[in-house]
Amino acid sequence: GGWIARLKSGLARTGNQITDLFSRGGKIDEDLYEELETILITADVGMTATNALLADLRHLVRERRLSEAEQLKEALAECLLKLLKPLAQPLQADTHKPYVIMMCGVNGAGKTTSIGKLAKYLQGQGLSVLLAAGDTFRAAAREQLMTWGERNNVTVIAQQSGDAAAVIYDAVQAAQARKIDVVLADTAGRLTTQAHLMEEIKKVKRVIAKALPEAPHEVLLVLDANTGQNALSQVKAFDEALGVTGLILTKLDGTAKGGVIAAIAKAHPIPVRFIGVGEGLDDLRPFDAEDFVTALLG
Ligand code: GDP
């Protein structure tokens, strides 16, 4: 379908480099490993995951007595798949009612867009959705969410003033009263370096638990794949503050190098619930490791 093509074109640069390297022919030698190392690092895989992947690859090469460069592509695909597969754990939003999803991320990551896409995805699964306009810092964010809700027939709980925790608390209670299946709670985008904002988002999480024990059932961090290794520090900071249970990796259709997903798999193996492959409402896809590796290596 169209989205695989977009994912593929987003990852094309890296994919082409790897394909060119292996299809040049010749024997597997140190130069080849070195070039592959450079490609992986340029693709945002990062040192740690690159070293791990190469060690795994060398191991496979020895074990299977591979000697030709062109045999490496399949072996690399296997190593990548082994690394990424544990991340492919779909969101299961029907295990509690209401199922409360707390969204977080830095500004511009694609949080608002992803909320819209996610609401549509969940409705497609036959689940009713309620949005909580917990981004109380930007009036525009609230307006954006309300307009979106009206257009798509989704209830949005918002307040003119008040803090995020209060809005989301109300939303969880409203969802219980109205027997809604899923609450999508937006929070203000923030920089992980803003200590007071990180304290505030922790408070939001505590207050959600007061409204409904065990909630939030999912803390979803939205990451822009283009931010490269920076995405790793975001995972670390939000995970320390909130305990992130799932990731949405956006903009993989763009100029993203995509390798950051491997870096995450190595450093913070948190499930990647979805990937964003475009600006449209249907451009959110459950993460599938096979699809990803195929898009990358062909
Ligand atoms: P927020 O500040 O985190 O709420 O970010 P927004 O949801 O407003 O998104 C910022 C920009 O990124 C917007 O122009 C979105 O259309 C765009 N965007 C979000 N997700 C994707 C994606 O998966 N692919 C592409 N190409 N653009 C995206």
Side-chain angles (χ1 to χ4, degrees):
W3 74 274
I4 290 261
R6 278 200 304 281
L7 176 61
K8 210 170 165 145
S9 77
L11 303 174
R13 199 167 147 264
T14 306
N16 290 340
Q17 284 176 326
I18 295 177
T19 305
D20 287 351
L21 178 66
F22 294 159
S23 59
R24 230 185 271 159
K27 299 282 175 201
I28 298 172
D29 57 14
E30 279 311 304
D31 284 349
L32 196 69
Y33 283 122
E34 235 168 71
E35 281 191 58
L36 180 59
E37 180 180 43
T38 306
I39 294 170
L40 292 175
I41 287 172
T42 331
D44 279 336
V45 173
M47 276 310 290
T48 315
T50 296
N51 288 340
L53 271 172
L54 287 177
D56 204 19
L57 188 62
R58 284 175 190 272
H59 181 80
L60 259 192
V61 165
R62 274 195 307 274
E63 198 180 67
R64 300 199 183 147
R65 300 173 197 280
L66 306 180
S67 59
E68 304 300 320
E70 58 195 14
Q71 296 173 304
L72 271 188
K73 190 162 157 179
E74 211 182 299
L76 179 64
E78 205 175 313
C79 297
L80 265 173
L81 198 59
K82 201 161 72 181
L83 182 65
L84 298 184
K85 200 137 193 188
L87 300 186
Q89 299 172 43
L91 179 73
Q92 293 194 302
D94 57 357
T95 51
H96 292 83
K97 187 170 176 169
Y99 191 88
V100 181
I101 302 175
M102 180 175 172
M103 307 287 296
C104 59
V106 303
N107 280 323
K111 189 161 52 66
T112 311
T113 312
S114 296
I115 287 175
K117 292 172 177 175
L118 189 53
K120 180 157 188 230
Y121 173 86
L122 293 166
Q123 287 179 317
Q125 295 202 318
L127 299 169
S128 54
V129 179
L130 182 144
L131 301 185
D135 184 351
T136 47
F137 279 89
R138 289 188 308 144
R142 187 183 61 227
E143 298 308 320
Q144 198 179 341
L145 215 58
M146 288 180 68
T147 311
W148 190 89
E150 264 164 41
R151 220 184 282 140
N152 292 279
N153 261 321
V154 176
T155 308
V156 179
I157 303 291
Q159 286 174 4
Q160 281 300 327
S161 58
D163 67 338
V167 175
I168 296 173
Y169 186 90
D170 283 356
V172 173
Q173 292 204 315
Q176 284 177 288
R178 298 177 199 184
K179 307 207 184 321
I180 301 276
D181 295 313
V182 183
V183 177
L184 278 181
D186 193 13
T187 61
R190 62 203 66 227
L191 292 174
T192 50
T193 48
Q194 294 168 303
H196 63 292
L197 288 181
M198 291 310 275
E199 281 311 312
E200 195 230 38
I201 203 169
K202 284 193 211 172
K203 181 181 134 194
V204 169
K205 191 185 175 199
R206 285 197 300 271
V207 170
I208 292 177
K210 289 226 170 72
L212 182 66
E214 284 187 52
H217 306 96
E218 176 89 350
V219 177
L220 266 184
L221 173 62
V222 180
L223 294 172
D224 178 342
N226 292 290
T227 55
Q229 294 294 297
N230 209 341
L232 276 187
S233 38
Q234 290 171 28
V235 174
K236 186 167 183 287
F238 279 101
D239 191 38
E240 273 168 16
L242 298 172
V244 175
T245 56
L247 304 174
I248 296 183
L249 206 59
T250 65
K251 309 185 200 182
L252 277 169
D253 55 305
T255 56
K257 301 181 209 161
V260 69
I261 207 161
I264 290 170
K266 198 71 203 159
H268 306 278
I270 295 172
V272 176
R273 304 291 193 200
F274 297 95
I275 56 173
V277 289
E279 296 186 86
L281 269 188
D282 293 314
D283 298 329
L284 186 77
R285 297 285 155 175
F287 173 65
D288 180 297
E290 275 98 355
D291 283 351
F292 190 86
V293 173
T294 306
L296 185 66
L297 298 179

